[in-house]
Amino acid sequence: ATLDDVKARGSLNCGVSTGLTGFSAPDANGVWQGFDVAVCRAVAAAVLGDPMAVEFVPTTGQTRFTALASGEIDVLARNTTWTFSRDVDLKFEFIGVNYYDGQGFMVPKALGVSSAKELDGATVCIQTGTTTELNLADFFRVNNISYEPVPIETNAEAQQQYLAGACDVYTTDASGLAATRASFEAPGDHVILPEIISKEPLGPLVRHGDSEWGDIVRWTLNALVAAEEYGVTSANIGELSAAPGNNPEINRLLGTEGELGAMFGLEADWAKKAIMANGNYGEIFEKTIGENTPIGLSRGLNAQWTEGGLLYSPPFR
Amino acid sequence: MQQQSTTSVDLSHMTVSDEVAIQITKMNKWYGNFHVLRDIDLTVYRGERIVIAGPSGSGKSTMIRCINRLEEHQAGKIVVDGTELGSDLKNIDKIRSEVGMVFQHFNLFPHLTILENCTLAPIWVRKIPKKEAEATAMHFLEKVKIPEQANKYPGQLSGGQQQRVAIARSLCMKPRIMLFDEPTSALDPEMIKEVLDTMVSLAEEGMTMICVTHEMGFAQAVANRVIFMDAGQIVEQNEPKEFFNNPQHERTKLFLSQILGH
Amino acid sequence: MQQQSTTSVDLSHMTVSDEVAIQITKMNKWYGNFHVLRDIDLTVYRGERIVIAGPSGSGKSTMIRCINRLEEHQAGKIVVDGTELGSDLKNIDKIRSEVGMVFQHFNLFPHLTILENCTLAPIWVRKIPKKEAEATAMHFLEKVKIPEQANKYPGQLSGGQQQRVAIARSLCMKPRIMLFDEPTSALDPEMIKEVLDTMVSLAEEGMTMICVTHEMGFAQAVANRVIFMDAGQIVEQNEPKEFFNNPQHERTKLFLSQILGH
Amino acid sequence: MTTMTDPPGQGFRLSQLIYDTRYRSLTIQVVAMILLMLLFSWLVSNTIHNLQNLGKDFDFGFLWQPSGYDINQRLIDYNSQSTHGRAALVGILNTLLVAALGCALATVLGVIAGVLRLSNNWLVARLMAFYVEGFRNVPLLLWIVLIFALMTEGTPAPSAFRGDTPSASMLFDAVAITNRGVYIPAIHFNAAFFESGLYNWLLIIAVFAASVFAVKRIGHWAAVKQEATGDRPTTWYLTLGVLIVPTAILMVLMGAYFDLPSLQGFNFGGGVHLRGSLIALWLALSLYTGAFIAEIVRGGILAISKGQSEAAFALGLRPGTTMNLVILPQALRVIIPPLISQFLNLTKNSSLAIAVGYMDARSTLGGITINQTGRELEGMLLLGLFYLVLSLLISGVMNVYNNSVKLKER
Amino acid sequence: MSDTHAQTVAFVRDTMTEQQEPPLSQSGAYKWMRENLLSTPLNVILTLVSVWLIYSVLSHVMPWAVFGIWDASSLSECRTIRDELYGADANVACWAVISERWKQLLFGFYPPEHYWRPVLAFVLFLVAISPVLFSSLPRKLLAFSVVAPFILFWLIWGGTIWGPICVALGFVIGWAIIRYASPYIGALGSVILAIVVPLLYWFVLAGPLDDLLASILPIGLEQVQSKQMGGFMLAMIIGISGIALSLPLGIVLALGRQSDLFLINKCSVIFIEVIRGVPLIVWLFTASLLLNYFLPPGTNFDLMLRVIIMVTLFSSAYIAEVVRGGLAALPKGQYEAADALGLDYWKSMRLVILPQALKISIPGIVNTFIGLFKDTTLVVFIGLLDPIGLSNAIRASTEWNGIYWELFVFIGLCFFIFCFSMGRYSLFLEKKLRREHR
Ligand SMILES: Nc1ncnc2c1ncn2[C@@H]1O[C@H](COP(=O)(O)OP(=O)(O)OP(=O)(O)O)[C@@H](O)[C@H]1O
Ligand SMILES: Nc1ncnc2c1ncn2[C@@H]1O[C@H](COP(=O)(O)OP(=O)(O)OP(=O)(O)O)[C@@H](O)[C@H]1O
Ligand SMILES: NC(=O)CC[C@H](N)C(=O)O
Ligand SMILES: [Mg+2]
Ligand SMILES: [Mg+2]
């Protein structure tokens, strides 16, 4: 089983994107950082007790699924949209959503375009092997306008082509657009068009057939979300986990009460370690892509359900 | 054709024993549909020196190549030193290590020194310690009169010297029978003599030899028996004097007239 | 060196006209800074058969190659059949189609049959209808005694046959002068004879020939004149009998003693 | 006295399996067969097991499902509603297109460079040596990336052609070189004979082919005439006329006109769009392979000994005729086999299209389709088969050619 | 009849003419120019075109390259310096990216304090390969060539020294069995044993033995992950191990293709043709994506190792063809002489045929290696950091975003120097072989 493999290996193989600032990119020291990376680290912390025990495998839109299916990676955390066919036909298991997104368009301001409908005849940079590629085809077909797709492997390449003017428009998940624009020299020269043409619930996924492993990843993600909901942060987690407090939900989450960890073969404090890795969901968001980062994404749909968002962790019981 | 100086050697003191070295009975061979050797019958006694002559394409090479199984015969029987040549690899190996062969084009191994050429088979086939093999090799190199070349490579030797090395290489396996396939026909006239002299000295020691050659001087001087082949058959065999002076078969007469008429 | 059977031919009935075929005056040639031909003066009359001899590197090949401008000379004058060889392309073409040349290595075209080899130039240079060219070619192939090979490819012929084809190929252009550059030196002894015989029969017909060769038998039998070259110069020339029996120059004597001493 | 033993007993002994030449080869082959089978069944059972674990099957049905993605360069009708199979076909055609274009240009470049490298012009020969060594000793991928970068970074975007004082302008008002590719004039018909452009072009090609055939007949006629009279009639103007006039007349009849590219909206409209990816891949493949071909051509010409041309000159043949009748026919035999294996390499190397996003067979069948359907095993198998069949076809052609031109030897 | 001319033309030279200088028009720079640049109108045109071409390329490239800026820490800093020095519209190279990152391009993310290891490994590799490449060197060096692979492996990947030693021990065991056991159990038996025993040893004993030795005497170097290797070092590792490992397989395939045994022959042919008929990149994808399908569930090994395996299979097909050429070039007499001396198939191959065939094949092998070395750049598509992959990574960093030519020029130059000199070596070897064959 995957869990045994990971334990035996002593490290988690985690598929991430080849480089998307804020989501997954190596920093100056070669250490991977970002929103998606944090999920991997949390899982590694939960399973192995060490958030750094992760081997990151950079994947492109095209290679990610084969990498996962062939077992080269144990979990794929690469802003991947949860779709029916990926779940059912490609035989993967999406274990949740860590970012609710939609597909957007970015154009240079100088082009004077204000709506995606005005893009008739435009050249569009698009990452191959993504849902955005399919959505794009649908969008232009439905609106009966023409376009010229320029297929591209990685975000870095797309950025380069777009900046060089080899395409008029770059389209991908809105979060990806924001992240890309943030790394431009002059982000202000580019606008993200108002249309969001699709639903893109992005989440980590694992292979079909190993439900125990799926459970571990799923509940690790849930733990991060729940932690934010219950106000467990990396600042107060030490205190909270030292002794059982009066919130049983928190106690069960942090393993000071009940046997949740043992149920799927982890230590009792698995969730504590996972949260300690990078903080709770909210902390991770703020640190990596939040409004105070150059990427500057607001929580929007990704706020807790209690705050009008869609994040809703099932109970730890 | 130049007559060689070898005519002066007297080999009459040498005895031929009754022991059979090679016994070929009703041997036939085909290349595809082409019948190369037809009903060959031949008995060679130990110590005999046989010369095979015949026009080109008559199957001389093929016959002696059958004797150490470089070619496979398809019918009949070849018994060498009491061992029948069949498809049994062990027998083949045994026979090959008892039968030495010298080729027209020497076929020395160019990447090995003369000494290594001579010790290769003794060491790897006979499993003789290297020292001993080298001593034997030097002995035979002295015999063919080129011990001083032992550490050179074949490419550095003249054709005649190369052929003598080839003979020494065969001798190092201490074979009981030696086969020669036109050993001098790739050589310049001066070198032919060197090689023939070596062969004569071998003959003097009583080695059983079968030699395909057109050197009729050599045949007359050394052979016990001359065999004439044509179209895959043995047409005539006789002792040399009779053979040359008094050929019986028409084909032999014709052949001899051509050979000697040059 | 074997004396060829050609010695028995008698060419004394043949006439040499007064007409000048080739006139070379004060011709000089350099390869880079190397002075290959120095002040060559030579007059060849129509019907003459000239043999050029000399040590290797003396410039024999270079000289006859200058005659049909395979090499360019840098000073002096070459007049062939009344046309001066200069840089004028028309003259060069004219001379080349009147001067036939046979090379040491035959240089047949391997992708064409013998017949095509022989008709190529007549058709494309002389603009002769194919039928006619083929008839001529067969005529000359018969002359060199290999009409039956007409449809084979050069690779299928022996060296001697190939050289005879090369001669026939030149003849098909009906040249008035033939140049031979060591036509037999790439051949086996038996084949040399075939080719020399062909050349003798050409000589008998009164063809003007210049021939670089070491076949002194041929020179004695066929040539009107033997020219001896050394170090890029004509050192001595004379009729064959005189040349061989009574050489004048030291250099010639030395050369002849070496050649004939074999 | 003889020491002949009786022939060994006729009974079959086990050791004969190893020591008897009759059975030995059989034994070896059977053992090899068994080992091979074991290896295969091991691999297959692993695969089956792994597929089962993943809950997948082995099924080519995906080829008939709609693909959902668009392909920018398509030689046949295709849209996002077409099947994956058709997408694969589009990719295959794109591969064949760039391979064919590449082979053609590489041959031209190679022949020119190879011949010039032998030129007695010192400067030109050096220059060509520089070209050959430069391209042969640097990885193809680098050249592709480099030329693509040159395309995208070194050329203006279409927007540069816009405005009253554009910073870039079209060549002859007909060709626009942009970082999205090159736009060249297209030929259109306003009195076309058929609805579909394809048929019109087929008609033109047919007429042109007929002209080519006629030219061949003219050549034949000239040859016959030459055989008969010895003089070859001058035919070049006839040839030229026959080659051009009928096609030209047909074009005029069909109302052919140039459709010049012009800036429309975001991009140039009209004309033919040669995409940057195609151009970069094409140029890089051609330049790279051209360098190898140059060496082959040079070697081929050098392999024809100097004696051949000297013999031809001595017979009075002019240099041109010598080239045509003596040197080339021989050089071609030497050149063509390695040339074809270069074509093979070029075709395989076209799979580097991945570096520039050119939609070839690997990108469609072996890329997006695999990714959208999760059929990596099936997809890669088909892709491998495609290349394999292509290679075998090309080398088959080579063998036929080799056998047909083999020189006859004794 | 007037056979008189012969008499009248009789001539004997009395004074020999001396060697003279050629006429002026025939020597010196003038002649050289005339002949090499301006001999015909076409040539004049070609010369002019070439001069123009060279001028226009150099006039663009030279100032760019020569005035390049070597000292800056980012592209924008480069641009500031350029603006100060030459003004804003000057076009000059920013070589600073090379001076800052060249180590990365050479070694990837190999820990800098351990750079000496790959460097030393490279030097040792050169020493090990030299007796193979230059036959004039003492044969004793070959002994070092045999142990070198283990040393090189250890130097580059680190870990305890016992790992490579334990692996090497397996080979020693196999060799010892063949050497000493064959008199007792026969050639065939000893060969089978020599394959089975080391395999058993490697699978069962080597691991524990390694651990044991390591715990007793922990000598070793710090371990370095394959992931950390990149750049030219990666290209070298893949190329060299690919060729070295494919050599035995290639030889076996070549022998198989020459074999009379139908099945063996056909299998070799199919293997070779299939491998060669499909682009390397497809094989690399297979290695990275599909290999796990064919292996037992749960196997998971290093991507680099998988690439090396695939590259080995790939180049073995090419090597097989090269070796086959070498085998075919040997005269039939060599095979017959070996047979006639009583050598069996394997002995005659090992002692007589292969030593000669391989020597003839070395130029071809070197050429295969050059091709393979260039092809290692393709690993960028499966996520390994070869020089081109690293250049992408460097470009992706904020400091150097937007830099192209400098990196390409540097990488191209490195490849060129390496491949060109290897190519020259193989040419030299071919010429030498041709001389020796005469
Ligand atoms: N491998 C082969 N396949 C088919 N035919 C062969 C083969 N080897 C030899 N032959 C034919 O068998 C016949 C006998 O050949 P063999 O070499 O024994 O003749 P030979 O008497 O030695 O002639 P030579 O004096 O020319 O060496 C010849 O006609 C030859 O063409
Ligand atoms: N292309 C060339 N470049 C430079 N030197 C040459 C060239 N061709 C020939 N030579 C030199 O010119 C001299 C005369 O050569 P040539 O071939 O005419 O001699 P030869 O008398 O025909 O000798 P041989 O009997 O060996 O054929 C020789 O020293 C030769 O080395
Ligand atoms: N642009 C991307 O890399 C991801 C696109 C999209 N979210 C997908 O899963 O296909
Ligand atoms: Mg024979
Ligand atoms: Mg000469």
Side-chain angles (χ1 to χ4, degrees), chain E residues 1 20 75 96 114 119 126 129 131 133 149 166 170 191 207-208 236 256 276 281 313 338 356 384 396 412 428:
Chain E
M1 119 146 217
Q20 284 162 2
L75 185 58
H114 291 305
V119 172
L126 290 184
I129 193 79
L133 296 186
C166 288
V191 167
M236 285 278 185
R276 286 166 18 121
I281 193 168
L313 292 180
Q356 298 183 60
L384 289 182
F428 152 81

Side-chain angles (χ1 to χ4, degrees), chain A residues 7 12 16 35 41 45 49-50 72 89-90 103 119 121 136 153 156 164 168 170 186 203 217 251 298 306:
Chain A
K7 278 186 171 162
L12 174 77
V16 291
F35 187 70
R41 295 219 185 274
D50 177 6
E72 193 177 340
D89 194 30
L90 297 196
Q103 180 174 356
L119 289 175
L136 184 73
E153 284 286 304
D168 302 305
Y170 180 32
V217 183
N251 291 348
S298 63
T306 48

Side-chain angles (χ1 to χ4, degrees), chain C residues 135-169:
Chain C
T136 321
M138 286 312 294
H139 169 76
F140 285 111
L141 284 175
E142 263 155 40
K143 189 157 207 161
V144 300
K145 305 214 180 60
I146 36 173
E148 71 285 359
Q149 315 284 2
N151 290 314
K152 290 199 183 158
Y153 284 86
Q156 298 170 296
L157 302 188
S158 75
Q161 290 173 324
Q162 290 193 35
Q163 190 61 296
R164 282 186 282 159
V165 173
I167 294 174
R169 180 175 68 176

Side-chain angles (χ1 to χ4, degrees), chain A:
Chain A
T2 314
L3 178 59
D4 303 324
D5 288 347
V6 171
K7 278 186 171 162
R9 207 186 301 133
S11 72
L12 174 77
N13 287 342
C14 189
V16 291
S17 84
T18 48
L20 181 61
T21 330
F23 285 87
S24 55
D27 66 9
N29 305 319
V31 182
W32 285 82
Q33 303 286 4
F35 187 70
D36 282 336
V37 166
V39 175
C40 300
R41 295 219 185 274
V43 173
V47 174
L48 300 166
D50 177 6
M52 299 313 279
V54 192
E55 295 286 353
F56 289 99
V57 177
T59 58
T60 66
Q62 271 196 38
T63 59
R64 54 183 161 175
F65 296 127
T66 357
L68 182 59
S70 70
E72 193 177 340
I73 52 180
D74 306 312
V75 54
L76 175 65
R78 186 201 178 279
N79 42 23
T80 301
T81 307
W82 185 349
T83 70
F84 181 92
S85 66
R86 284 175 181 176
D87 200 332
V88 177
D89 194 30
L90 297 196
K91 313 284 187 210
F92 294 126
E93 187 166 1
F94 283 83
I95 51 85
V97 175
N98 68 340
Y99 193 96
Y100 289 95
D101 205 347
Q103 180 174 356
F105 297 92
M106 172 163 67
V107 293
K109 244 191 196 137
L111 222 52
V113 173
S114 58
S115 155
K117 302 254 166 67
E118 296 167 27
L119 289 175
D120 190 13
T123 302
V124 185
C125 277
I126 175 83
Q127 285 190 55
T128 54
T130 61
T131 50
T132 52
E133 187 175 34
L134 306 177
N135 298 334
L136 184 73
D138 284 348
F139 176 78
F140 278 87
R141 188 163 49 86
V142 167
N143 287 299
N144 210 4
I145 47 182
S146 68
Y147 74 111
E148 157 102 10
V150 174
I152 269 162
E153 284 286 304
T154 65
N155 195 61
E157 230 176 284
Q159 179 175 339
Q160 173 220 325
Q161 295 272 313
Y162 172 76
L163 286 178
C167 40
D168 302 305
V169 192
Y170 180 32
T171 179
T172 184
D173 302 332
S175 60
L177 288 180
T180 309
R181 188 175 64 159
S183 63
F184 286 176
E185 234 172 299
D189 292 349
H190 303 269
V191 288
I192 295 178
L193 298 180
E195 282 97 338
I196 294 296
I197 64 168
S198 68
K199 289 189 286 185
E200 304 283 335
L202 310 179
L205 57 157
V206 297
R207 274 182 300 278
H208 246 336
D210 188 352
S211 308
E212 286 75 21
W213 177 245
D215 289 343
I216 290 173
V217 183
R218 172 177 302 113
W219 286 95
T220 307
L221 178 62
N222 282 339
L224 298 180
V225 175
E228 186 187 20
E229 184 182 345
Y230 304 139
V232 179
T233 65
S234 45
N236 63 15
I237 190 165
E239 192 185 314
L240 287 173
S241 61
N246 52 12
N247 186 336
E249 189 87 5
I250 295 181
N251 291 348
R252 283 192 295 270
L253 175 67
L254 298 182
T256 49
E257 191 185 314
E259 295 272 277
L260 292 189
M263 287 181 197
F264 53 22
L266 297 184
E267 322 240 310
D269 61 348
W270 64 275
K272 177 194 161 200
K273 289 188 206 141
I275 297 164
M276 297 245 294
N278 275 299
N280 64 30
Y281 182 91
E283 288 175 277
I284 295 172
F285 195 103
E286 287 317 316
K287 244 191 298 189
T288 54
I289 52 177
E291 273 167 330
N292 297 326
T293 64
I295 298 163
L297 291 171
S298 63
R299 287 293 289 264
L301 287 178
N302 296 295
Q304 291 287 337
W305 61 287
T306 48
E307 284 159 34
L310 294 177
L311 289 189
Y312 185 102
S313 163
F316 278 73
R317 175 173 290 288

Side-chain angles (χ1 to χ4, degrees), chain A residues 91 123 129 147-149 164 168, chain D residues 55 70 72 179-180 267 275 371:
Chain A
K91 313 284 187 210
T123 302
Y147 74 111
E148 157 102 10
D168 302 305
Chain D
D70 276 311
N72 51 14
N179 61 0
R180 293 175 192 177
N267 279 317
R275 282 173 184 75
N371 187 253

Side-chain angles (χ1 to χ4, degrees), chain D residues 121 124, chain E residues 34 36-51:
Chain D
N121 186 317
V124 171
Chain E
R34 206 196 62 172
N36 292 309
L37 296 178
L38 312 166
S39 58
T40 61
L42 178 69
N43 248 333
V44 175
I45 295 173
L46 281 178
T47 305
L48 290 180
V49 170
S50 309
V51 168

Side-chain angles (χ1 to χ4, degrees), chain D residues 25 29 46-47 49-50 120-122 124 133 136 145-146 150 153 288 348 351-352 354 376 380 387 391, chain E residues 36 43 47 50 261 263 276-277 279 281 285 292-295 297 318 374 378 381 404 408 416 424:
Chain D
S25 66
Q29 298 199 56
N46 280 338
T47 311
H49 199 85
N50 282 322
N120 50 11
N121 186 317
W122 182 86
V124 171
E133 294 299 345
R136 283 203 321 166
V145 176
L146 206 110
L150 200 68
E153 302 290 314
Y288 185 78
K348 284 191 287 167
S351 58
L352 292 182
I354 184 177
E376 51 267 345
M380 288 310 250
Y387 281 112
S391 298
Chain E
N36 292 309
N43 248 333
T47 305
S50 309
L261 305 180
L263 194 74
R276 286 166 18 121
I281 193 168
F285 276 117
N292 274 355
Y293 276 118
F294 306 130
L295 298 177
Y318 285 81
K374 285 188 292 173
L378 303 196
F381 295 120
Y404 284 96
F408 288 153
F416 180 84
R424 285 293 117 152

Side-chain angles (χ1 to χ4, degrees), chain E residues 191-435:
Chain E
V191 167
I192 293 176
L193 261 191
I195 292 172
V196 172
V197 173
L199 279 181
L200 279 179
Y201 159 81
W202 280 321
F203 280 117
V204 181
L205 222 62
L209 184 68
D210 176 23
D211 292 343
L212 183 73
L213 288 170
S215 62
I216 296 173
L217 200 65
I219 315 176
L221 290 168
E222 191 182 312
Q223 195 144 11
V224 180
Q225 301 284 322
S226 316
K227 253 182 203 128
Q228 293 169 275
M229 299 169 196
F232 282 97
M233 177 181 163
L234 180 86
M236 285 278 185
I237 292 177
I238 295 178
I240 291 171
S241 39
I243 282 288
L245 295 175
S246 67
L247 210 51
L249 191 57
I251 292 172
V252 171
L253 282 173
L255 293 179
R257 199 164 181 174
Q258 292 246 305
S259 161
D260 307 326
L261 305 180
F262 179 82
L263 194 74
I264 305 228
N265 180 296
K266 287 295 165 286
C267 285
S268 313
V269 171
I270 290 175
F271 181 87
I272 292 173
E273 291 304 327
V274 166
I275 290 273
R276 286 166 18 121
V278 176
L280 177 59
I281 193 168
V282 173
W283 290 122
L284 288 177
F285 276 117
T286 306
S288 79
L289 302 178
L290 299 185
L291 211 56
N292 274 355
Y293 276 118
F294 306 130
L295 298 177
T299 359
N300 200 323
F301 53 99
D302 205 29
L303 181 59
M304 184 140 135
L305 188 58
R306 273 185 277 163
V307 168
I308 290 181
I309 291 177
M310 217 60 207
V311 163
T312 302
L313 292 180
F314 185 76
S315 54
S316 69
Y318 285 81
I319 296 273
E321 289 300 278
V322 171
V323 173
R324 187 165 73 114
L327 288 174
L330 282 191
K332 197 158 151 261
Q334 292 291 319
Y335 294 82
E336 289 184 346
D339 277 353
L341 284 174
L343 295 171
D344 64 27
Y345 178 80
W346 291 108
K347 278 189 193 127
S348 66
M349 282 299 152
R350 185 155 62 95
L351 300 169
V352 176
I353 305 301
L354 284 178
Q356 298 183 60
L358 287 183
K359 189 174 166 203
I360 307 176
S361 310
I362 290 182
I365 293 173
V366 172
N367 284 337
T368 312
F369 175 65
I370 296 175
L372 186 62
F373 184 66
K374 285 188 292 173
D375 278 349
T376 53
T377 50
L378 303 196
V379 299
V380 64
F381 295 120
I382 54 171
L384 289 182
L385 288 174
D386 83 307
I388 293 182
L390 274 170
S391 80
N392 289 339
I394 292 173
R395 259 206 321 275
S397 70
T398 34
E399 303 97 76
W400 299 111
N401 199 331
I403 203 149
Y404 284 96
W405 313 114
E406 293 83 350
L407 287 169
F408 288 153
V409 166
F410 178 74
I411 296 172
L413 219 57
C414 288
F415 270 109
F416 180 84
I417 292 171
F418 188 84
C419 296
F420 184 75
S421 39
M422 294 296 286
R424 285 293 117 152
Y425 167 75
S426 123
L427 269 185
F428 152 81
L429 218 56
E430 267 167 41
K431 285 210 184 105
K432 194 173 126 198
L433 278 176
R434 221 174 293 148
R435 268 202 315 277

